[in-house]
Amino acid sequence: MSEIEAILTDTAPVPAGHYVQAVRAGDMLYISGQLPIRADRQPLPDTSFETQARQAVTNMLEILKAAGGTPAQLARVTAYIVGVANWPEFNRIYAQMLPDARPARTVVPVPELHYGFLVEIDAVAYMPVIKSA
């Protein structure tokens, strides 16, 4: 394995810009910001904050899984949410989807996100490389 490895999975949306879904650098995994876009690019069933938050967290978890990680290895999560009023709902959804993981976390209320979405989430995970003898 090279020191820096790009992670790409078809279970999360393919990047639309000049970046990768995640990068593994040594023992660290850096997951790019995930918008509430389905992997197959089909529309979400609705545009509610809950649906969008669940999809963004799902994308993050799918990329983590593709890299060989688990939620227990999340070290830091940052969520950008449109409107501070959505914070309690985000907390509820986040706790449901990551019940046993408690990484360091920052929630940043923002006035708007790309494409009019209501949430974006990125993460850093600690995933020690097992060295063979």
Side-chain angles (χ1 to χ4, degrees):
M1 178 172 83
S2 68
E3 290 189 36
I4 296 181
E5 172 189 10
I7 304 298
L8 182 63
T9 178
D10 61 2
T11 61
V14 175
H18 190 70
Y19 62 96
V20 294
Q21 291 171 331
V23 170
R24 185 169 184 155
D27 291 341
M28 304 304 294
L29 179 71
Y30 300 92
I31 300 173
S32 296
Q34 296 300 303
L35 291 167
I37 300 170
R38 290 175 28 156
D40 62 8
R41 297 266 185 207
Q42 292 299 308
L44 295 174
D46 62 67
T47 59
S48 69
F49 180 82
E50 178 174 3
T51 297
Q52 290 191 36
R54 287 186 184 284
Q55 185 65 57
V57 172
T58 295
N59 292 344
M60 175 193 70
L61 292 173
E62 286 295 328
I63 294 165
L64 176 65
K65 180 180 171 184
T70 68
Q73 292 169 295
L74 288 169
R76 176 151 185 76
V77 172
T78 304
Y80 304 90
I81 62 171
V82 173
V84 73
N86 286 318
W87 198 318
E89 182 75 350
F90 180 77
N91 279 335
R92 182 184 68 75
I93 294 161
Y94 183 87
Q96 284 178 352
M97 295 185 75
L98 293 129
D100 299 321
R102 289 191 178 245
R105 188 188 85 177
T106 301
V107 177
V108 183
V110 296
E112 65 181 325
L113 289 168
H114 203 42
Y115 306 119
F117 287 122
L118 301 175
V119 62
E120 181 172 1
I121 190 164
D122 65 33
V124 177
Y126 177 67
M127 298 175 48
V129 176
I130 300 170
K131 297 179 179 156
S132 56

